[in-house]
PDB file of all heavy atoms in Angstrom:
ATOM      1  N   GLY A  80      92.308 -20.695  40.063  1.00 96.00           N
ATOM      2  CA  GLY A  80      92.950 -19.600  40.752  1.00 96.00           C
ATOM      3  C   GLY A  80      94.088 -19.014  39.929  1.00 96.00           C
ATOM      4  O   GLY A  80      94.235 -19.235  38.719  1.00 96.00           O
ATOM      5  N   LEU A  81      94.944 -18.204  40.584  1.00 97.00           N
ATOM      6  CA  LEU A  81      96.045 -17.539  39.942  1.00 97.00           C
ATOM      7  C   LEU A  81      97.359 -18.021  40.446  1.00 97.00           C
ATOM      8  O   LEU A  81      97.536 -18.379  41.622  1.00 97.00           O
ATOM      9  CB  LEU A  81      95.893 -16.013  40.221  1.00 97.00           C
ATOM     10  CG  LEU A  81      94.594 -15.366  39.812  1.00 97.00           C
ATOM     11  CD1 LEU A  81      94.583 -13.882  40.212  1.00 97.00           C
ATOM     12  CD2 LEU A  81      94.309 -15.506  38.304  1.00 97.00           C
ATOM     13  N   SER A  82      98.375 -18.073  39.577  1.00 97.00           N
ATOM     14  CA  SER A  82      99.714 -18.437  39.908  1.00 97.00           C
ATOM     15  C   SER A  82     100.284 -17.429  40.902  1.00 97.00           C
ATOM     16  O   SER A  82     100.141 -16.209  40.695  1.00 97.00           O
ATOM     17  CB  SER A  82     100.565 -18.556  38.714  1.00 97.00           C
ATOM     18  OG  SER A  82     101.942 -18.627  39.020  1.00 97.00           O
ATOM     19  N   ASP A  83     100.968 -17.914  41.944  1.00 96.00           N
ATOM     20  CA  ASP A  83     101.586 -16.976  42.889  1.00 96.00           C
ATOM     21  C   ASP A  83     102.940 -16.461  42.312  1.00 96.00           C
ATOM     22  O   ASP A  83     103.538 -15.596  42.971  1.00 96.00           O
ATOM     23  CB  ASP A  83     101.830 -17.585  44.255  1.00 96.00           C
ATOM     24  CG  ASP A  83     102.681 -18.889  44.230  1.00 96.00           C
ATOM     25  OD1 ASP A  83     103.273 -19.133  43.153  1.00 96.00           O
ATOM     26  OD2 ASP A  83     102.732 -19.601  45.227  1.00 96.00           O
ATOM     27  N   GLU A  84     103.327 -16.947  41.150  1.00 96.00           N
ATOM     28  CA  GLU A  84     104.519 -16.394  40.510  1.00 96.00           C
ATOM     29  C   GLU A  84     104.280 -15.119  39.698  1.00 96.00           C
ATOM     30  O   GLU A  84     105.015 -14.162  39.730  1.00 96.00           O
ATOM     31  CB  GLU A  84     105.100 -17.447  39.578  1.00 96.00           C
ATOM     32  CG  GLU A  84     105.755 -18.656  40.330  1.00 96.00           C
ATOM     33  CD  GLU A  84     106.353 -19.606  39.343  1.00 96.00           C
ATOM     34  OE1 GLU A  84     105.631 -20.215  38.551  1.00 96.00           O
ATOM     35  OE2 GLU A  84     107.602 -19.780  39.279  1.00 96.00           O
ATOM     36  N   ASP A  85     103.181 -15.158  38.892  1.00 97.00           N
ATOM     37  CA  ASP A  85     102.938 -14.034  37.965  1.00 97.00           C
ATOM     38  C   ASP A  85     101.515 -13.477  38.067  1.00 97.00           C
ATOM     39  O   ASP A  85     101.185 -12.566  37.314  1.00 97.00           O
ATOM     40  CB  ASP A  85     103.286 -14.406  36.520  1.00 97.00           C
ATOM     41  CG  ASP A  85     102.640 -15.728  36.102  1.00 97.00           C
ATOM     42  OD1 ASP A  85     101.587 -16.057  36.658  1.00 97.00           O
ATOM     43  OD2 ASP A  85     103.124 -16.390  35.220  1.00 97.00           O
ATOM     44  N   GLY A  86     100.685 -14.068  38.919  1.00 97.00           N
ATOM     45  CA  GLY A  86      99.273 -13.591  39.016  1.00 97.00           C
ATOM     46  C   GLY A  86      98.382 -13.885  37.855  1.00 97.00           C
ATOM     47  O   GLY A  86      97.307 -13.279  37.718  1.00 97.00           O
ATOM     48  N   LEU A  87      98.770 -14.869  37.047  1.00 98.00           N
ATOM     49  CA  LEU A  87      97.949 -15.223  35.837  1.00 98.00           C
ATOM     50  C   LEU A  87      97.171 -16.515  36.146  1.00 98.00           C
ATOM     51  O   LEU A  87      97.555 -17.295  36.972  1.00 98.00           O
ATOM     52  CB  LEU A  87      98.868 -15.368  34.640  1.00 98.00           C
ATOM     53  CG  LEU A  87      99.561 -14.057  34.166  1.00 98.00           C
ATOM     54  CD1 LEU A  87     100.619 -14.373  33.085  1.00 98.00           C
ATOM     55  CD2 LEU A  87      98.570 -13.108  33.640  1.00 98.00           C
ATOM     56  N   PRO A  88      96.094 -16.692  35.332  1.00 98.00           N
ATOM     57  CA  PRO A  88      95.225 -17.877  35.616  1.00 98.00           C
ATOM     58  C   PRO A  88      95.951 -19.213  35.358  1.00 98.00           C
ATOM     59  O   PRO A  88      96.786 -19.341  34.471  1.00 98.00           O
ATOM     60  CB  PRO A  88      94.102 -17.698  34.581  1.00 98.00           C
ATOM     61  CG  PRO A  88      94.119 -16.243  34.236  1.00 98.00           C
ATOM     62  CD  PRO A  88      95.568 -15.816  34.337  1.00 98.00           C
ATOM     63  N   VAL A  89      95.451 -20.199  36.129  1.00 98.00           N
ATOM     64  CA  VAL A  89      95.967 -21.566  36.067  1.00 98.00           C
ATOM     65  C   VAL A  89      94.636 -22.432  35.868  1.00 98.00           C
ATOM     66  O   VAL A  89      93.567 -22.120  36.385  1.00 98.00           O
ATOM     67  CB  VAL A  89      96.629 -22.046  37.319  1.00 98.00           C
ATOM     68  CG1 VAL A  89      96.965 -23.542  37.331  1.00 98.00           C
ATOM     69  CG2 VAL A  89      97.901 -21.192  37.544  1.00 98.00           C
ATOM     70  N   GLY A  90      94.752 -23.482  35.104  1.00 98.00           N
ATOM     71  CA  GLY A  90      93.585 -24.360  34.884  1.00 98.00           C
ATOM     72  C   GLY A  90      93.688 -25.726  35.516  1.00 98.00           C
ATOM     73  O   GLY A  90      94.776 -26.324  35.604  1.00 98.00           O
ATOM     74  N   LEU A  91      92.585 -26.220  36.020  1.00 98.00           N
ATOM     75  CA  LEU A  91      92.449 -27.588  36.515  1.00 98.00           C
ATOM     76  C   LEU A  91      91.710 -28.408  35.494  1.00 98.00           C
ATOM     77  O   LEU A  91      90.630 -28.086  35.070  1.00 98.00           O
ATOM     78  CB  LEU A  91      91.668 -27.623  37.835  1.00 98.00           C
ATOM     79  CG  LEU A  91      91.244 -29.005  38.357  1.00 98.00           C
ATOM     80  CD1 LEU A  91      92.413 -29.809  38.816  1.00 98.00           C
ATOM     81  CD2 LEU A  91      90.183 -28.850  39.466  1.00 98.00           C
ATOM     82  N   GLN A  92      92.350 -29.522  35.028  1.00 98.00           N
ATOM     83  CA  GLN A  92      91.765 -30.404  34.036  1.00 98.00           C
ATOM     84  C   GLN A  92      91.079 -31.593  34.752  1.00 98.00           C
ATOM     85  O   GLN A  92      91.756 -32.206  35.553  1.00 98.00           O
ATOM     86  CB  GLN A  92      92.752 -30.860  33.042  1.00 98.00           C
ATOM     87  CG  GLN A  92      92.184 -31.809  31.962  1.00 98.00           C
ATOM     88  CD  GLN A  92      93.091 -32.244  30.885  1.00 98.00           C
ATOM     89  OE1 GLN A  92      92.802 -32.225  29.711  1.00 98.00           O
ATOM     90  NE2 GLN A  92      94.284 -32.663  31.271  1.00 98.00           N
ATOM     91  N   VAL A  93      89.841 -31.836  34.385  1.00 98.00           N
ATOM     92  CA  VAL A  93      89.111 -33.020  34.872  1.00 98.00           C
ATOM     93  C   VAL A  93      88.771 -33.896  33.663  1.00 98.00           C
ATOM     94  O   VAL A  93      88.144 -33.448  32.726  1.00 98.00           O
ATOM     95  CB  VAL A  93      87.819 -32.623  35.666  1.00 98.00           C
ATOM     96  CG1 VAL A  93      87.206 -33.868  36.244  1.00 98.00           C
ATOM     97  CG2 VAL A  93      88.178 -31.601  36.749  1.00 98.00           C
ATOM     98  N   MET A  94      89.205 -35.159  33.745  1.00 98.00           N
ATOM     99  CA  MET A  94      88.977 -36.096  32.635  1.00 98.00           C
ATOM    100  C   MET A  94      88.058 -37.237  33.077  1.00 98.00           C
ATOM    101  O   MET A  94      88.126 -37.678  34.218  1.00 98.00           O
ATOM    102  CB  MET A  94      90.311 -36.691  32.113  1.00 98.00           C
ATOM    103  CG  MET A  94      91.256 -35.629  31.570  1.00 98.00           C
ATOM    104  SD  MET A  94      92.947 -36.262  31.345  1.00 98.00           S
ATOM    105  CE  MET A  94      93.580 -36.038  33.043  1.00 98.00           C
ATOM    106  N   ALA A  95      87.224 -37.665  32.171  1.00 98.00           N
ATOM    107  CA  ALA A  95      86.247 -38.807  32.441  1.00 98.00           C
ATOM    108  C   ALA A  95      86.301 -39.854  31.358  1.00 98.00           C
ATOM    109  O   ALA A  95      86.793 -39.558  30.269  1.00 98.00           O
ATOM    110  CB  ALA A  95      84.868 -38.199  32.611  1.00 98.00           C
ATOM    111  N   PRO A  96      85.724 -41.023  31.598  1.00 98.00           N
ATOM    112  CA  PRO A  96      85.583 -41.974  30.533  1.00 98.00           C
ATOM    113  C   PRO A  96      84.681 -41.528  29.423  1.00 98.00           C
ATOM    114  O   PRO A  96      83.852 -40.581  29.569  1.00 98.00           O
ATOM    115  CB  PRO A  96      84.966 -43.240  31.212  1.00 98.00           C
ATOM    116  CG  PRO A  96      85.215 -42.997  32.680  1.00 98.00           C
ATOM    117  CD  PRO A  96      85.168 -41.507  32.872  1.00 98.00           C
ATOM    118  N   ALA A  97      84.764 -42.178  28.265  1.00 98.00           N
ATOM    119  CA  ALA A  97      83.889 -41.804  27.105  1.00 98.00           C
ATOM    120  C   ALA A  97      82.440 -41.848  27.489  1.00 98.00           C
ATOM    121  O   ALA A  97      81.988 -42.777  28.176  1.00 98.00           O
ATOM    122  CB  ALA A  97      84.183 -42.712  25.911  1.00 98.00           C
ATOM    123  N   LEU A  98      81.739 -40.749  27.114  1.00 98.00           N
ATOM    124  CA  LEU A  98      80.247 -40.632  27.351  1.00 98.00           C
ATOM    125  C   LEU A  98      79.945 -40.504  28.821  1.00 98.00           C
ATOM    126  O   LEU A  98      78.726 -40.586  29.191  1.00 98.00           O
ATOM    127  CB  LEU A  98      79.475 -41.746  26.746  1.00 98.00           C
ATOM    128  CG  LEU A  98      79.565 -41.892  25.179  1.00 98.00           C
ATOM    129  CD1 LEU A  98      78.778 -43.126  24.680  1.00 98.00           C
ATOM    130  CD2 LEU A  98      79.023 -40.627  24.525  1.00 98.00           C
ATOM    131  N   ARG A  99      80.921 -40.271  29.635  1.00 98.00           N
ATOM    132  CA  ARG A  99      80.652 -40.104  31.085  1.00 98.00           C
ATOM    133  C   ARG A  99      80.918 -38.635  31.463  1.00 98.00           C
ATOM    134  O   ARG A  99      81.381 -38.324  32.592  1.00 98.00           O
ATOM    135  CB  ARG A  99      81.540 -41.032  31.908  1.00 98.00           C
ATOM    136  CG  ARG A  99      81.212 -42.470  31.698  1.00 98.00           C
ATOM    137  CD  ARG A  99      79.823 -42.863  32.147  1.00 98.00           C
ATOM    138  NE  ARG A  99      79.536 -44.313  31.995  1.00 98.00           N
ATOM    139  CZ  ARG A  99      78.988 -44.848  30.900  1.00 98.00           C
ATOM    140  NH1 ARG A  99      78.626 -44.039  29.866  1.00 98.00           N
ATOM    141  NH2 ARG A  99      78.743 -46.118  30.847  1.00 98.00           N
ATOM    142  N   GLU A 100      80.544 -37.685  30.586  1.00 98.00           N
ATOM    143  CA  GLU A 100      80.710 -36.245  30.861  1.00 98.00           C
ATOM    144  C   GLU A 100      80.059 -35.783  32.174  1.00 98.00           C
ATOM    145  O   GLU A 100      80.617 -34.917  32.827  1.00 98.00           O
ATOM    146  CB  GLU A 100      80.167 -35.424  29.724  1.00 98.00           C
ATOM    147  CG  GLU A 100      81.101 -35.285  28.541  1.00 98.00           C
ATOM    148  CD  GLU A 100      80.899 -36.363  27.470  1.00 98.00           C
ATOM    149  OE1 GLU A 100      80.247 -37.401  27.791  1.00 98.00           O
ATOM    150  OE2 GLU A 100      81.296 -36.124  26.306  1.00 98.00           O
ATOM    151  N   PRO A 101      78.950 -36.344  32.588  1.00 98.00           N
ATOM    152  CA  PRO A 101      78.357 -35.878  33.878  1.00 98.00           C
ATOM    153  C   PRO A 101      79.288 -35.967  35.024  1.00 98.00           C
ATOM    154  O   PRO A 101      79.266 -35.094  35.943  1.00 98.00           O
ATOM    155  CB  PRO A 101      77.127 -36.788  34.085  1.00 98.00           C
ATOM    156  CG  PRO A 101      76.673 -37.074  32.633  1.00 98.00           C
ATOM    157  CD  PRO A 101      78.018 -37.254  31.853  1.00 98.00           C
ATOM    158  N   ARG A 102      80.189 -36.945  35.068  1.00 98.00           N
ATOM    159  CA  ARG A 102      81.132 -37.080  36.131  1.00 98.00           C
ATOM    160  C   ARG A 102      82.078 -35.836  36.199  1.00 98.00           C
ATOM    161  O   ARG A 102      82.253 -35.274  37.308  1.00 98.00           O
ATOM    162  CB  ARG A 102      82.019 -38.288  35.954  1.00 98.00           C
ATOM    163  CG  ARG A 102      81.308 -39.627  36.039  1.00 98.00           C
ATOM    164  CD  ARG A 102      82.337 -40.733  35.982  1.00 98.00           C
ATOM    165  NE  ARG A 102      81.738 -42.087  35.813  1.00 98.00           N
ATOM    166  CZ  ARG A 102      82.448 -43.186  35.746  1.00 98.00           C
ATOM    167  NH1 ARG A 102      83.782 -43.151  35.792  1.00 98.00           N
ATOM    168  NH2 ARG A 102      81.821 -44.382  35.601  1.00 98.00           N
ATOM    169  N   MET A 103      82.604 -35.443  35.052  1.00 98.00           N
ATOM    170  CA  MET A 103      83.557 -34.321  35.077  1.00 98.00           C
ATOM    171  C   MET A 103      82.852 -33.037  35.328  1.00 98.00           C
ATOM    172  O   MET A 103      83.396 -32.163  35.990  1.00 98.00           O
ATOM    173  CB  MET A 103      84.353 -34.265  33.749  1.00 98.00           C
ATOM    174  CG  MET A 103      83.647 -33.878  32.574  1.00 98.00           C
ATOM    175  SD  MET A 103      84.640 -33.934  31.087  1.00 98.00           S
ATOM    176  CE  MET A 103      83.581 -33.023  29.963  1.00 98.00           C
ATOM    177  N   TYR A 104      81.575 -32.852  34.805  1.00 98.00           N
ATOM    178  CA  TYR A 104      80.860 -31.620  35.109  1.00 98.00           C
ATOM    179  C   TYR A 104      80.552 -31.520  36.566  1.00 98.00           C
ATOM    180  O   TYR A 104      80.599 -30.403  37.117  1.00 98.00           O
ATOM    181  CB  TYR A 104      79.541 -31.605  34.294  1.00 98.00           C
ATOM    182  CG  TYR A 104      79.720 -31.039  32.860  1.00 98.00           C
ATOM    183  CD1 TYR A 104      79.769 -31.836  31.773  1.00 98.00           C
ATOM    184  CD2 TYR A 104      79.807 -29.671  32.681  1.00 98.00           C
ATOM    185  CE1 TYR A 104      79.922 -31.336  30.476  1.00 98.00           C
ATOM    186  CE2 TYR A 104      79.946 -29.147  31.445  1.00 98.00           C
ATOM    187  CZ  TYR A 104      79.992 -29.976  30.342  1.00 98.00           C
ATOM    188  OH  TYR A 104      80.135 -29.425  29.050  1.00 98.00           O
ATOM    189  N   ARG A 105      80.182 -32.629  37.208  1.00 98.00           N
ATOM    190  CA  ARG A 105      79.842 -32.592  38.659  1.00 98.00           C
ATOM    191  C   ARG A 105      81.094 -32.139  39.457  1.00 98.00           C
ATOM    192  O   ARG A 105      81.034 -31.314  40.301  1.00 98.00           O
ATOM    193  CB  ARG A 105      79.344 -33.945  39.140  1.00 98.00           C
ATOM    194  CG  ARG A 105      79.021 -33.964  40.651  1.00 98.00           C
ATOM    195  CD  ARG A 105      78.722 -35.357  41.072  1.00 98.00           C
ATOM    196  NE  ARG A 105      78.635 -35.383  42.548  1.00 98.00           N
ATOM    197  CZ  ARG A 105      78.649 -36.474  43.295  1.00 98.00           C
ATOM    198  NH1 ARG A 105      78.682 -37.652  42.737  1.00 98.00           N
ATOM    199  NH2 ARG A 105      78.578 -36.413  44.643  1.00 98.00           N
ATOM    200  N   VAL A 106      82.206 -32.779  39.204  1.00 98.00           N
ATOM    201  CA  VAL A 106      83.499 -32.508  39.903  1.00 98.00           C
ATOM    202  C   VAL A 106      83.901 -31.078  39.638  1.00 98.00           C
ATOM    203  O   VAL A 106      84.311 -30.321  40.545  1.00 98.00           O
ATOM    204  CB  VAL A 106      84.606 -33.489  39.538  1.00 98.00           C
ATOM    205  CG1 VAL A 106      85.938 -33.074  40.103  1.00 98.00           C
ATOM    206  CG2 VAL A 106      84.172 -34.902  40.020  1.00 98.00           C
ATOM    207  N   ALA A 107      83.858 -30.615  38.369  1.00 98.00           N
ATOM    208  CA  ALA A 107      84.307 -29.309  38.005  1.00 98.00           C
ATOM    209  C   ALA A 107      83.400 -28.243  38.710  1.00 98.00           C
ATOM    210  O   ALA A 107      83.875 -27.208  39.155  1.00 98.00           O
ATOM    211  CB  ALA A 107      84.281 -29.136  36.493  1.00 98.00           C
ATOM    212  N   ALA A 108      82.075 -28.484  38.691  1.00 98.00           N
ATOM    213  CA  ALA A 108      81.176 -27.474  39.307  1.00 98.00           C
ATOM    214  C   ALA A 108      81.373 -27.457  40.831  1.00 98.00           C
ATOM    215  O   ALA A 108      81.290 -26.364  41.406  1.00 98.00           O
ATOM    216  CB  ALA A 108      79.733 -27.873  38.951  1.00 98.00           C
ATOM    217  N   ALA A 109      81.622 -28.648  41.439  1.00 98.00           N
ATOM    218  CA  ALA A 109      81.843 -28.616  42.815  1.00 98.00           C
ATOM    219  C   ALA A 109      83.153 -27.877  43.211  1.00 98.00           C
ATOM    220  O   ALA A 109      83.149 -27.074  44.187  1.00 98.00           O
ATOM    221  CB  ALA A 109      81.944 -30.054  43.335  1.00 98.00           C
ATOM    222  N   TYR A 110      84.150 -28.104  42.372  1.00 98.00           N
ATOM    223  CA  TYR A 110      85.409 -27.374  42.636  1.00 98.00           C
ATOM    224  C   TYR A 110      85.162 -25.818  42.406  1.00 98.00           C
ATOM    225  O   TYR A 110      85.643 -24.993  43.214  1.00 98.00           O
ATOM    226  CB  TYR A 110      86.539 -27.809  41.723  1.00 98.00           C
ATOM    227  CG  TYR A 110      87.718 -26.882  41.840  1.00 98.00           C
ATOM    228  CD1 TYR A 110      88.534 -26.923  42.945  1.00 98.00           C
ATOM    229  CD2 TYR A 110      88.022 -25.971  40.834  1.00 98.00           C
ATOM    230  CE1 TYR A 110      89.540 -26.043  43.098  1.00 98.00           C
ATOM    231  CE2 TYR A 110      89.018 -25.059  40.979  1.00 98.00           C
ATOM    232  CZ  TYR A 110      89.798 -25.104  42.067  1.00 98.00           C
ATOM    233  OH  TYR A 110      90.834 -24.184  42.240  1.00 98.00           O
ATOM    234  N   GLU A 111      84.467 -25.445  41.369  1.00 98.00           N
ATOM    235  CA  GLU A 111      84.166 -24.021  41.078  1.00 98.00           C
ATOM    236  C   GLU A 111      83.474 -23.441  42.238  1.00 98.00           C
ATOM    237  O   GLU A 111      83.823 -22.310  42.641  1.00 98.00           O
ATOM    238  CB  GLU A 111      83.325 -23.964  39.834  1.00 98.00           C
ATOM    239  CG  GLU A 111      82.956 -22.564  39.409  1.00 98.00           C
ATOM    240  CD  GLU A 111      82.078 -22.612  38.182  1.00 98.00           C
ATOM    241  OE1 GLU A 111      80.921 -23.191  38.288  1.00 98.00           O
ATOM    242  OE2 GLU A 111      82.444 -22.117  37.121  1.00 98.00           O
ATOM    243  N   PHE A 112      82.530 -24.161  42.879  1.00 96.00           N
ATOM    244  CA  PHE A 112      81.785 -23.638  44.041  1.00 96.00           C
ATOM    245  C   PHE A 112      82.698 -23.354  45.177  1.00 96.00           C
ATOM    246  O   PHE A 112      82.698 -22.267  45.816  1.00 96.00           O
ATOM    247  CB  PHE A 112      80.731 -24.705  44.383  1.00 96.00           C
ATOM    248  CG  PHE A 112      80.024 -24.460  45.690  1.00 96.00           C
ATOM    249  CD1 PHE A 112      78.975 -23.582  45.763  1.00 96.00           C
ATOM    250  CD2 PHE A 112      80.448 -25.128  46.875  1.00 96.00           C
ATOM    251  CE1 PHE A 112      78.287 -23.363  46.962  1.00 96.00           C
ATOM    252  CE2 PHE A 112      79.792 -24.919  48.064  1.00 96.00           C
ATOM    253  CZ  PHE A 112      78.732 -24.046  48.133  1.00 96.00           C
ATOM    254  N   ALA A 113      83.615 -24.339  45.461  1.00 96.00           N
ATOM    255  CA  ALA A 113      84.566 -24.138  46.547  1.00 96.00           C
ATOM    256  C   ALA A 113      85.578 -23.048  46.285  1.00 96.00           C
ATOM    257  O   ALA A 113      85.940 -22.257  47.174  1.00 96.00           O
ATOM    258  CB  ALA A 113      85.254 -25.490  46.832  1.00 96.00           C
ATOM    259  N   ARG A 114      86.037 -22.961  45.045  1.00 96.00           N
ATOM    260  CA  ARG A 114      87.000 -21.899  44.690  1.00 96.00           C
ATOM    261  C   ARG A 114      86.409 -20.558  44.848  1.00 96.00           C
ATOM    262  O   ARG A 114      87.055 -19.630  45.409  1.00 96.00           O
ATOM    263  CB  ARG A 114      87.379 -22.135  43.240  1.00 96.00           C
ATOM    264  CG  ARG A 114      88.431 -21.162  42.699  1.00 96.00           C
ATOM    265  CD  ARG A 114      88.334 -21.046  41.193  1.00 96.00           C
ATOM    266  NE  ARG A 114      87.063 -20.356  40.847  1.00 96.00           N
ATOM    267  CZ  ARG A 114      86.451 -20.544  39.668  1.00 96.00           C
ATOM    268  NH1 ARG A 114      86.909 -21.423  38.798  1.00 96.00           N
ATOM    269  NH2 ARG A 114      85.289 -19.913  39.427  1.00 96.00           N
ATOM    270  N   ASP A 115      85.144 -20.342  44.428  1.00 95.00           N
ATOM    271  CA  ASP A 115      84.576 -19.018  44.512  1.00 95.00           C
ATOM    272  C   ASP A 115      84.388 -18.602  45.983  1.00 95.00           C
ATOM    273  O   ASP A 115      84.505 -17.430  46.348  1.00 95.00           O
ATOM    274  CB  ASP A 115      83.302 -18.957  43.746  1.00 95.00           C
ATOM    275  CG  ASP A 115      83.457 -18.924  42.265  1.00 95.00           C
ATOM    276  OD1 ASP A 115      84.638 -18.788  41.840  1.00 95.00           O
ATOM    277  OD2 ASP A 115      82.455 -19.049  41.525  1.00 95.00           O
ATOM    278  N   ILE A 116      84.085 -19.597  46.852  1.00 93.00           N
ATOM    279  CA  ILE A 116      83.949 -19.275  48.260  1.00 93.00           C
ATOM    280  C   ILE A 116      85.326 -18.858  48.829  1.00 93.00           C
ATOM    281  O   ILE A 116      85.410 -17.881  49.576  1.00 93.00           O
ATOM    282  CB  ILE A 116      83.377 -20.480  49.053  1.00 93.00           C
ATOM    283  CG1 ILE A 116      81.900 -20.682  48.644  1.00 93.00           C
ATOM    284  CG2 ILE A 116      83.517 -20.271  50.556  1.00 93.00           C
ATOM    285  CD1 ILE A 116      81.263 -21.915  49.334  1.00 93.00           C
ATOM    286  N   ALA A 117      86.355 -19.632  48.446  1.00 92.00           N
ATOM    287  CA  ALA A 117      87.676 -19.331  48.930  1.00 92.00           C
ATOM    288  C   ALA A 117      88.182 -17.987  48.484  1.00 92.00           C
ATOM    289  O   ALA A 117      88.844 -17.244  49.206  1.00 92.00           O
ATOM    290  CB  ALA A 117      88.678 -20.399  48.521  1.00 92.00           C
ATOM    291  N   LEU A 118      87.865 -17.595  47.245  1.00 89.00           N
ATOM    292  CA  LEU A 118      88.303 -16.330  46.669  1.00 89.00           C
ATOM    293  C   LEU A 118      87.392 -15.156  47.022  1.00 89.00           C
ATOM    294  O   LEU A 118      87.760 -13.994  46.763  1.00 89.00           O
ATOM    295  CB  LEU A 118      88.421 -16.463  45.159  1.00 89.00           C
ATOM    296  CG  LEU A 118      89.526 -17.410  44.582  1.00 89.00           C
ATOM    297  CD1 LEU A 118      89.413 -17.481  43.109  1.00 89.00           C
ATOM    298  CD2 LEU A 118      90.895 -16.969  45.022  1.00 89.00           C
ATOM    299  N   GLY A 119      86.208 -15.445  47.514  1.00 90.00           N
ATOM    300  CA  GLY A 119      85.291 -14.417  47.831  1.00 90.00           C
ATOM    301  C   GLY A 119      84.610 -13.848  46.644  1.00 90.00           C
ATOM    302  O   GLY A 119      84.177 -12.648  46.611  1.00 90.00           O
ATOM    303  N   GLY A 120      84.460 -14.636  45.612  1.00 90.00           N
ATOM    304  CA  GLY A 120      83.829 -14.201  44.336  1.00 90.00           C
ATOM    305  C   GLY A 120      84.442 -14.926  43.149  1.00 90.00           C
ATOM    306  O   GLY A 120      85.395 -15.671  43.249  1.00 90.00           O
ATOM    307  N   SER A 121      83.837 -14.682  42.006  1.00 91.00           N
ATOM    308  CA  SER A 121      84.289 -15.353  40.743  1.00 91.00           C
ATOM    309  C   SER A 121      85.641 -14.857  40.324  1.00 91.00           C
ATOM    310  O   SER A 121      85.964 -13.694  40.348  1.00 91.00           O
ATOM    311  CB  SER A 121      83.241 -15.086  39.647  1.00 91.00           C
ATOM    312  OG  SER A 121      83.735 -15.667  38.417  1.00 91.00           O
ATOM    313  N   LEU A 122      86.490 -15.821  39.904  1.00 93.00           N
ATOM    314  CA  LEU A 122      87.797 -15.459  39.400  1.00 93.00           C
ATOM    315  C   LEU A 122      87.816 -14.525  38.219  1.00 93.00           C
ATOM    316  O   LEU A 122      88.665 -13.632  38.116  1.00 93.00           O
ATOM    317  CB  LEU A 122      88.601 -16.746  39.074  1.00 93.00           C
ATOM    318  CG  LEU A 122      89.992 -16.617  38.485  1.00 93.00           C
ATOM    319  CD1 LEU A 122      90.951 -16.107  39.595  1.00 93.00           C
ATOM    320  CD2 LEU A 122      90.481 -17.872  37.851  1.00 93.00           C
ATOM    321  N   ILE A 123      86.848 -14.700  37.347  1.00 93.00           N
ATOM    322  CA  ILE A 123      86.832 -13.913  36.120  1.00 93.00           C
ATOM    323  C   ILE A 123      86.703 -12.424  36.384  1.00 93.00           C
ATOM    324  O   ILE A 123      87.082 -11.570  35.618  1.00 93.00           O
ATOM    325  CB  ILE A 123      85.741 -14.410  35.128  1.00 93.00           C
ATOM    326  CG1 ILE A 123      85.971 -13.901  33.678  1.00 93.00           C
ATOM    327  CG2 ILE A 123      84.357 -14.065  35.616  1.00 93.00           C
ATOM    328  CD1 ILE A 123      87.203 -14.393  33.039  1.00 93.00           C
ATOM    329  N   ASN A 124      86.081 -12.094  37.528  1.00 91.00           N
ATOM    330  CA  ASN A 124      85.921 -10.656  37.854  1.00 91.00           C
ATOM    331  C   ASN A 124      87.203  -9.954  38.213  1.00 91.00           C
ATOM    332  O   ASN A 124      87.290  -8.767  38.446  1.00 91.00           O
ATOM    333  CB  ASN A 124      84.899 -10.526  38.966  1.00 91.00           C
ATOM    334  CG  ASN A 124      83.485 -10.818  38.517  1.00 91.00           C
ATOM    335  OD1 ASN A 124      83.096 -10.628  37.371  1.00 91.00           O
ATOM    336  ND2 ASN A 124      82.688 -11.377  39.446  1.00 91.00           N
TER     337      ASN A 124
END
């Protein structure tokens, strides 16, 4: 989403153990799904 101070993008970092990338991709994709619903569309637009 965007900072309520300046309207600029903020990032969420998801970290996983070595070679366990699927964990972070699953969590990141789930969050992205929920964020786009909350925002009514993709942030990049």
Side-chain angles (χ1 to χ4, degrees):
L81 304 176
S82 166
D83 58 12
E84 290 181 294
D85 52 26
L87 294 172
V89 175
L91 169 69
Q92 179 177 225
V93 184
M94 298 166 277
L98 297 176
R99 296 295 182 268
E100 279 93 340
R102 295 186 190 180
M103 72 183 193
Y104 273 103
R105 179 188 171 193
V106 171
Y110 171 73
E111 180 183 64
F112 171 82
R114 181 206 67 209
D115 286 352
I116 290 177
L118 293 176
S121 175
L122 177 71
I123 196 67
N124 288 329

